């Protein structure tokens, strides 16, 4: 089915649209894109309300993005490394993939989202797989503007990965004993 197009001019964005623009703005900011260039590109994209309303919305998002960028940039390097990996988990299991976003030897992630368990779990698995000493995840906070989660590599990362894969396998076969 086709999406219905509306003729009405909007004066606000819904939360998902704000998140989408904020995530793009943060990614561009960390990549070294000038904020004025980002604004021009975003205005041409056609997803914002017209005129000064769009500029006001972008200004509000830019304030939050600058706070996040200031928290991340000290541990961030524009030229991030990536690691291709193949980890033997034993029992004939081989974990393969690529971990992106290694900055100064650590896994560094930034998101415009409020930092939640899914962000921490993703950083944890990438930390274990890459064998990096730390994983730093930064996002918007609930009661404070920025929340940062720092995880350190355990003594036996391959063993922890094996446990996670076993838990995943069990979850595919039967309900997990959550209670």
């Amino acid at each position: 089915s086709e999406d219905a197009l509306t003729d009405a001019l909007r004066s606000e964005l819904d939360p998902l649209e704000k998140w989408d623009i904020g995530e793009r703005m943060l990614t561009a900011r960390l990549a070294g894109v000038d904020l004025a260039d980002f604004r021009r590109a975003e205005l041409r994209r056609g997803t914002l309300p017209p005129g000064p309303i769009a500029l006001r919305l972008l200004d509000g998002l830019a304030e939050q993005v600058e706070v996040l960028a200031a928290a991340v940039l000290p541990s961030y390097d524009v030229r991030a490394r990536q690691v291709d990996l193949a980890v033997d988990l034993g029992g004939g299991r081989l974990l393969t993939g690529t971990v992106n976003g290694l900055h100064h030897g650590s896994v560094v992630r930034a998101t415009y989202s409020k930092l939640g368990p899914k962000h921490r779990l993703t950083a944890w698995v990438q930390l274990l797989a890459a064998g990096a000493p730390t994983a730093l995840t930064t996002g918007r906070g609930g009661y404070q503007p920025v929340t940062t989660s720092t995880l350190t590599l355990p003594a036996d990362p391959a063993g922890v990965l094996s446990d996670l894969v076993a838990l995943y396998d069990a979850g595919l076969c039967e309900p997990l004993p959550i209670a």
Side-chain angles (χ1 to χ4, degrees), residues 76-88:
Y76 202 83
D77 181 11
V78 175
R79 300 181 64 112
R81 285 187 326 111
Q82 68 181 23
V83 175
D84 295 323
L85 52 97
V87 180
D88 182 13

Side-chain angles (χ1 to χ4, degrees), residues 24-86:
R24 280 196 305 269
M25 187 183 288
L26 179 61
T27 301
R29 172 69 175 89
L30 295 176
V33 174
D34 183 49
L35 189 56
D37 292 338
F38 177 83
R39 284 174 186 263
R40 285 191 291 274
E42 200 62 38
L43 289 169
R44 280 190 224 104
R45 188 182 291 266
T47 58
L48 292 168
I53 299 170
L55 297 176
R56 188 182 74 241
L57 290 169
L58 285 174
D59 286 342
L61 291 172
E63 288 175 19
Q64 294 176 335
V65 165
E66 283 304 314
V67 170
L68 284 169
V72 173
L73 283 173
S75 57
Y76 202 83
D77 181 11
V78 175
R79 300 181 64 112
R81 285 187 326 111
Q82 68 181 23
V83 175
D84 295 323
L85 52 97

Side-chain angles (χ1 to χ4, degrees), residues 101-126:
L102 289 171
H103 301 272
H104 307 290
S106 295
V107 177
V108 179
R109 294 280 180 264
T111 181
Y112 186 75
S113 299
K114 289 185 179 176
L115 204 57
K118 71 179 181 179
H119 302 104
R120 291 181 179 98
L121 184 59
T122 300
W124 176 243
V125 171
Q126 291 174 340

